[in-house]
Amino acid sequence: MLKVAMIGCGAICTSVLEILKNDADISVSCVIVGEAFRAAAQDTLARVAPQAKVVTTLAEAGERPDLLVECAGHSALAEHVIPALQQGIPCVVVSIGALSDTDIAAKLEAAAREGKTQVQLLSGAIGGIDALAAARIGGLDSVVYTGRKPANAWKDTPADGAFDLDALTEPTVIFEGSAGEAARLYPKNANVAATLSLAGVGLDKTQVRLIADPTSKENVHHVQASGAFGSFELTMRGRPLAANPKTSALTVYSVVRAIGNLAHAVAI
Ligand SMILES: NC(=O)C1=CN([C@@H]2O[C@H](COP(=O)(O)OP(=O)(O)OC[C@H]3O[C@@H](n4cnc5c(N)ncnc54)[C@H](OP(=O)(O)O)[C@@H]3O)[C@@H](O)[C@H]2O)C=CC1
Ligand SMILES: O=C([O-])CC(=O)C(=O)O
């Protein structure tokens, strides 16, 4: 039985817990939340993971998990993931854009080395990371990423104000630049851009375009990569989660897959 601690009790975590409650090989022992979120998290866990404690730090849980799963936000890496790695607890994370801060990226790697363990950067809402990371070994020439989401997915971002999102009638480019800049400006919407960069040509060289599309009901991720291996082009049309239109449902399944691969006898 794999004992799992989770960080964040939002859209991804709740959907992950709903799926995991039927898996006899996995037990979620605690969910780490911010102090202000304790009561709401208790209500959620009563429904989807009654055995799990609500805590604000891993230390408060009083027991060591086999795995720490981050599905909270960029700040959770410094706050919870780095200390856990230092203690030798393996971690999987979805807030990959946090690594656009080179200080956090360096501390994450140093912590995993110190704890003689590993942090796995999950593919989340995007596919093809296996192909891209393999292609990088032969040498990549370019990676171009376009992220297109419905207009409401850009609420409470720098695009909200710079553009009148409610009044858009056609697809509108709200950002064009490097993946590093996209990840910093859009921490809840450009984790895919960061993931593609880290697997590919890096945060500065990965070209990113972000589009608010009032005609779309999907989160559409388009990637073009070329290099010594040849080239590929990929389009993912992700269904957004009802609880958070910024997040594609595939992110949930990516987390469940990663946990299952560590818990089950056969991994795929
Ligand atoms: N790799 C990928 O493809 C994707 C990655 N993501 C990442 O996953 C994150 C979570 O997504 P989602 O579940 O949809 O978002 P939600 O906003 O629905 O839930 C996130 C929850 O985590 C909490 N939280 C944030 N920071 C911390 C922290 N440091 N410690 C404890 N709790 C924290 C939030 O609290 P509060 O609201 O108070 O901040 C919120 O309750 C996104 O922010 C993004 O970084 C999302 C989609 C795709
Ligand atoms: O879930 C998605 O479609 C992608 C996303 O939010 C991100 O890249 O941060």
Side-chain angles (χ1 to χ4, degrees):
M1 169 92 70
L2 189 80
K3 191 161 58 168
V4 176
M6 314 267 306
I7 318 168
C9 198
I12 297 175
C13 182
T14 304
S15 296
V16 167
L17 292 174
E18 264 163 11
I19 297 172
L20 291 186
K21 73 179 177 197
N22 299 316
D23 193 322
D25 292 330
I26 296 163
S27 167
V28 176
S29 57
C30 71
V31 178
I32 302 171
V33 300
E35 188 59 55
F37 207 66
R38 254 187 207 270
Q42 292 284 10
D43 287 350
T44 302
L45 291 197
R47 190 168 49 81
V48 292
Q51 79 290 347
K53 293 181 202 161
V54 175
V55 295
T56 56
T57 61
L58 200 50
E60 186 190 330
E63 54 182 340
R64 185 186 170 91
D66 301 317
L67 179 71
L68 178 64
V69 178
E70 179 279 322
C71 38
H74 287 198
S75 64
L77 274 81
E79 215 174 317
H80 303 294
V81 175
I82 289 174
L85 288 169
Q86 285 167 334
Q87 293 166 47
I89 298 167
C91 297
V92 299
V93 302
V94 295
S95 295
I96 317 297
L99 279 79
S100 63
D101 178 337
T102 49
D103 187 46
I104 293 289
K107 284 183 175 150
L108 199 69
E109 188 171 346
R113 281 187 195 282
E114 183 184 332
K116 298 187 173 48
T117 186
Q118 201 172 43
V119 55
Q120 191 186 348
L121 311 181
L122 298 186
S123 52
I126 191 71
I129 295 300
D130 52 349
L132 188 62
R136 181 179 59 167
I137 292 164
L140 284 164
D141 297 327
S142 91
V143 180
V144 180
Y145 165 68
T146 304
R148 177 188 294 256
K149 292 187 180 183
N152 68 338
W154 302 101
K155 291 273 181 192
D156 304 318
T157 75
D160 192 1
F163 299 87
D164 185 352
L165 296 173
D166 292 329
L168 293 184
T169 53
E170 56 187 42
T172 303
V173 176
I174 51 138
F175 172 87
E176 234 170 340
S178 72
E181 203 185 347
R184 280 188 292 277
L185 290 173
Y186 296 90
K188 298 183 180 179
N189 277 314
N191 292 282
V192 162
T195 309
L196 289 164
S197 314
L198 296 169
V201 293
L203 289 153
D204 294 335
K205 289 194 187 141
T206 307
Q207 302 165 58
V208 173
R209 230 158 51 114
L210 301 176
I211 297 172
D213 185 350
T215 68
S216 178
K217 290 192 166 18
E218 296 161 329
N219 293 340
V220 184
H221 304 286
H222 181 259
V223 188
Q224 282 172 295
S226 64
F229 77 101
S231 64
F232 79 78
E233 195 168 338
L234 171 76
T235 304
M236 309 278 302
R237 299 185 188 282
R239 180 177 59 76
L241 290 176
N244 185 359
K246 293 182 168 63
T247 296
S248 299
L250 189 67
T251 316
V252 170
Y253 308 139
S254 167
V255 173
V256 173
R257 170 183 179 245
I259 300 172
N261 273 348
L262 293 167
H264 300 150
V266 177
I268 188 160

